[in-house]
Amino acid sequence: MQTYKVKGTLISLLILLLPLQLFALSSDEQQPIQVEADSLEIRDQENISIYTGNVLMNQGSLEISCEQLTLHFDDQKELILMEMTGAPATYRQLDDDKQELNGQADRIQYQQSESILVMTGNARLIYKG
């Protein structure tokens, strides 16, 4: 098990950039995204959906829990960015060997096209490989 933990004032400056295809279960990308939340706001003009309150999102082995999830789409309605905030927002996913990646931070961003995870504020990442 590898643990990455950062404390102190550097946390607000810390950004963890990880290519997620190294960690993701290869079948996850083909799975539907399911989201539960207390409320949903859809802004068609801005191509975003904002889920607020007790947000739970699943896509295959990917599990996200946060206070707010904002999904950004391109003009073809393809997902391009997920932004999660919470106290903390949490992230869990399995790789093809069923090894687990767990993360938590005040803010997590996932850039779909580059498969990059950015974690800021009290960031912690654990890979059980």
Side-chain angles (χ1 to χ4, degrees):
M1 175 173 63
Q2 298 172 347
T3 302
Y4 305 92
K5 187 173 181 179
V6 180
K7 292 184 178 182
T9 57
L10 292 177
I11 296 214
S12 63
L13 301 175
L14 176 69
I15 299 177
L16 297 174
L17 298 174
L18 300 170
L20 285 186
Q21 54 270 66
L22 295 177
F23 299 106
L25 190 62
S26 56
S27 62
D28 283 351
E29 201 171 279
Q30 287 78 41
Q31 301 299 316
I33 295 174
Q34 301 173 347
V35 182
E36 295 179 23
D38 293 338
S39 66
L40 168 61
E41 178 183 354
I42 298 174
R43 298 181 187 169
D44 282 331
Q45 299 289 5
E46 300 172 57
N47 289 334
I48 62 173
S49 298
I50 303 169
Y51 296 85
T52 307
N54 300 309
V55 181
L56 298 173
M57 190 202 95
N58 295 301
Q59 182 181 24
S61 74
L62 173 64
E63 297 175 2
I64 292 171
S65 174
C66 57
E67 288 301 312
Q68 181 171 306
L69 169 65
T70 303
L71 302 178
H72 298 260
F73 300 92
D74 62 18
D75 290 334
Q76 290 74 42
K77 303 300 183 197
E78 296 291 323
L79 179 64
I80 55 175
L81 175 66
M82 291 191 294
E83 295 180 288
M84 298 142 276
T85 57
T90 62
Y91 171 94
R92 178 187 174 275
Q93 190 163 28
L94 299 177
D95 66 13
D96 284 330
D97 295 324
K98 304 293 188 216
Q99 302 299 313
E100 193 172 298
L101 175 69
N102 289 291
Q104 67 180 44
D106 294 338
R107 181 180 178 93
I108 301 174
Q109 291 182 309
Y110 176 60
Q111 298 172 13
Q112 181 78 12
S113 62
E114 291 87 19
S115 296
I116 294 177
L117 183 71
V118 179
M119 303 171 71
T120 56
N122 300 308
R124 181 178 181 162
L125 185 65
I126 299 171
Y127 179 63
K128 298 177 183 176

